[in-house]
């Protein structure tokens, strides 16, 4: 979630300005809970907790869904975002716009995968666990998740800009994490990114998360495997390459030969040391964020 000093961000700051609401966020990070559960743990009435949750929902911090359990219907709440980034200086007014494309995680054009590995749709596994051959199964285009202990996946990103539109920034957002046998919350992995064959930086994932079930995990998805990742946002502009606002390299947009009809984006995890490594990519229907790999091309 990105915030600034504008009026739209004010409701987020106001929602966070409450000790009770901060306690609610802490509890929802542990697991999804319905209003009665929250009220019981906070020793407050249902009405008061419902009012606090409503403020968090309006600010976009918390989401909810109705679920039938034991013959009753309950409002289950969950946290929408794990991080917030605040820009205190006014954002520059863009004179142009942006083109956006959502690339499904199974639409890779090249790959290399080493066990432990696998690929699945929201309905079933594609083939068998730990058999890289299934990464070329035709059904891969419907995949919502893939993972491997070592290797890479490469995507072709269409360039929809016209010749008279000047590209000023590329933004790539995705939910990713490490890959450990089963799950391991403390399993660091250096995940590297490249664009058009040129390295643009790396990010170290802290683990392969699975102690808490993913908000979007299908019912058939086993509880002892990857459940969710972290939402990461890459930005490449004239100042360099950044992830969640932190510089990861000096590679700038002018160095990447971006005038072709498509670009090649690669994610890789080559670290195969014991106790670390791997890559999991979560798309629609898996993890905590219902999206695939989203690429925005900002132009003037």
């Amino acid at each position: 979630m990105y915030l600034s000093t504008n009026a739209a961000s004010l409701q987020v700051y106001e929602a966070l300005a409450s000790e009770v609401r901060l306690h609610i966020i802490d509890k929802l990070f542990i697991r999804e809970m319905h209003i009665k559960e929250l009220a019981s743990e906070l020793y407050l009435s249902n009405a008061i907790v419902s009012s606090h949750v409503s403020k968090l929902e309006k600010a976009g911090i918390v989401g909810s869904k109705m679920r039938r359990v034991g013959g009753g219907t309950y409002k289950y709440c969950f946290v929408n975002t794990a991080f917030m980034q605040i820009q205190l200086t006014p954002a520059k007014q863009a004179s142009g716009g942006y083109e956006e494309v959502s690339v499904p995680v199974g639409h890779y054009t090249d790959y290399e995968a080493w066990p432990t590995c696998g690929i699945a749709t929201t309905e079933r596994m594609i083939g068998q666990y730990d058999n890289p051959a299934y990464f070329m199964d035709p059904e891969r285009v419907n995949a919502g998740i893939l993972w491997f202990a070592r290797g890479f996946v490469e995507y072709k990103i269409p360039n929809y800009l016209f010749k008279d539109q000047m590209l000023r920034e590329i933004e790539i957002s995705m939910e990713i994490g490490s890959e450990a046998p089963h799950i391991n919350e403390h399993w660091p992995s250096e995940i590297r990114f490249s664009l058009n064959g040129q390295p643009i930086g790396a990010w170290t994932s802290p683990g392969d998360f699975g102690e808490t079930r993913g908000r979007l995990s299908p019912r058939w998805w086993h509880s002892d495997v990857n459940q969710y990742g972290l939402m990461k946002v890459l930005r490449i502009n004239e100042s360099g390459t950044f992830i969640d606002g932190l510089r990861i390299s000096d590679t700038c947009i002018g160095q990447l030969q971006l005038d072709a009809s498509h670009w090649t984006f690669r994610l890789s995890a080559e670290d195969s040391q014991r106790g670390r490594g791997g890559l999991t990519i979560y798309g629609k229907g898996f993890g905590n964020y219902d999206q695939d790999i989203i690429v925005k091309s900002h132009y003037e």
Side-chain angles (χ1 to χ4, degrees):
M1 181 179 289
Y2 295 89
L3 308 172
S4 68
T5 54
N6 61 22
S9 298
L10 183 59
Q11 64 179 348
V12 178
Y13 304 136
E14 290 176 342
L16 294 173
S18 162
E19 188 173 353
V20 172
R21 291 194 284 275
L22 292 178
H23 284 319
I24 290 173
I25 293 170
D26 287 341
K27 291 185 179 298
L28 294 181
F29 253 113
I30 299 172
R31 63 185 175 91
E32 294 183 5
M33 300 175 72
H34 57 68
I35 298 295
K36 287 186 177 180
E37 288 179 300
L38 285 168
S40 175
E41 294 207 8
L42 294 169
Y43 301 101
L44 296 171
S45 70
N46 292 349
I48 290 175
V49 170
S50 182
S51 176
H52 283 298
V53 167
S54 178
K55 289 182 180 180
L56 291 169
E57 284 188 287
K58 288 179 181 177
I61 300 170
V62 164
S64 64
K65 56 187 174 184
M66 304 306 292
R67 184 185 298 165
R68 287 193 60 80
V69 178
T73 302
Y74 299 88
K75 179 178 179 178
Y76 275 82
C77 306
F78 51 85
V79 176
N80 268 331
T81 182
F83 299 95
M84 294 182 184
Q85 184 177 342
I86 302 174
Q87 180 178 325
L88 293 179
T89 54
K92 294 180 179 178
Q93 294 297 317
S95 58
Y98 66 87
E99 292 285 348
E100 178 178 318
V101 59
S102 177
V103 182
V105 299
H107 280 227
Y108 47 84
T109 55
D110 197 6
Y111 82 98
E112 182 178 285
W114 295 82
T116 51
C117 63
I119 183 169
T121 71
T122 54
E123 298 178 348
R124 58 185 174 274
M125 282 290 301
I126 297 176
Q128 303 170 347
Y129 286 106
D130 299 336
N131 187 339
Y134 287 102
F135 274 66
M136 282 307 294
D137 189 290
E139 196 179 2
R140 77 178 193 278
V141 297
N142 299 316
I145 187 172
L146 63 83
W147 66 96
F148 48 77
R150 180 165 59 90
F152 70 86
V153 279
E154 200 169 79
Y155 298 89
K156 301 296 185 187
I157 310 297
N159 175 13
Y160 292 134
L161 299 188
F162 295 109
K163 295 297 183 182
D164 60 346
Q165 293 174 330
M166 181 178 296
L167 182 65
R168 59 181 181 86
E169 183 175 82
I170 297 173
E171 175 187 311
I172 306 173
S173 61
M174 61 221 143
E175 184 178 357
I176 54 177
S178 309
E179 160 51 24
H182 298 291
I183 56 174
N184 192 322
E185 303 270 324
H186 306 287
W187 187 277
S189 179
E190 186 176 76
I191 298 171
R192 295 191 168 274
F193 312 99
S194 70
L195 194 60
N196 286 349
Q198 183 164 334
I200 57 175
W203 168 71
T204 300
S205 166
D208 181 1
F209 304 108
E211 292 182 4
T212 301
R213 191 165 180 81
R215 182 168 65 87
L216 300 168
S217 296
R219 290 182 179 275
W220 67 270
W221 191 245
H222 298 297
S223 59
D224 63 344
V225 293
N226 335 54
Q227 294 294 324
Y228 65 92
L230 298 177
M231 178 58 62
K232 310 311 294 179
V233 181
L234 270 172
R235 283 189 170 86
I236 309 107
N237 54 40
E238 62 182 9
S239 300
T241 302
F242 304 81
I243 192 161
D244 298 338
L246 299 176
R247 181 189 294 274
I248 57 172
S249 81
D250 293 330
T251 303
C252 62
I253 201 164
Q255 300 173 273
L256 295 173
Q257 300 178 350
L258 297 168
D259 55 351
S261 62
H262 68 268
W263 310 322
T264 302
F265 177 57
R266 174 182 287 202
L267 301 93
S268 63
E270 303 301 332
D271 191 348
S272 58
Q273 297 180 42
R274 184 175 180 82
R276 61 181 296 133
L279 169 64
T280 304
I281 308 177
Y282 302 82
K284 285 186 175 180
F286 283 90
N288 285 343
Y289 301 87
D290 199 18
Q291 69 163 70
D292 289 308
I293 301 171
I294 294 180
V295 181
K296 291 184 180 180
S297 306
H298 296 267
Y299 62 84
E300 294 180 347

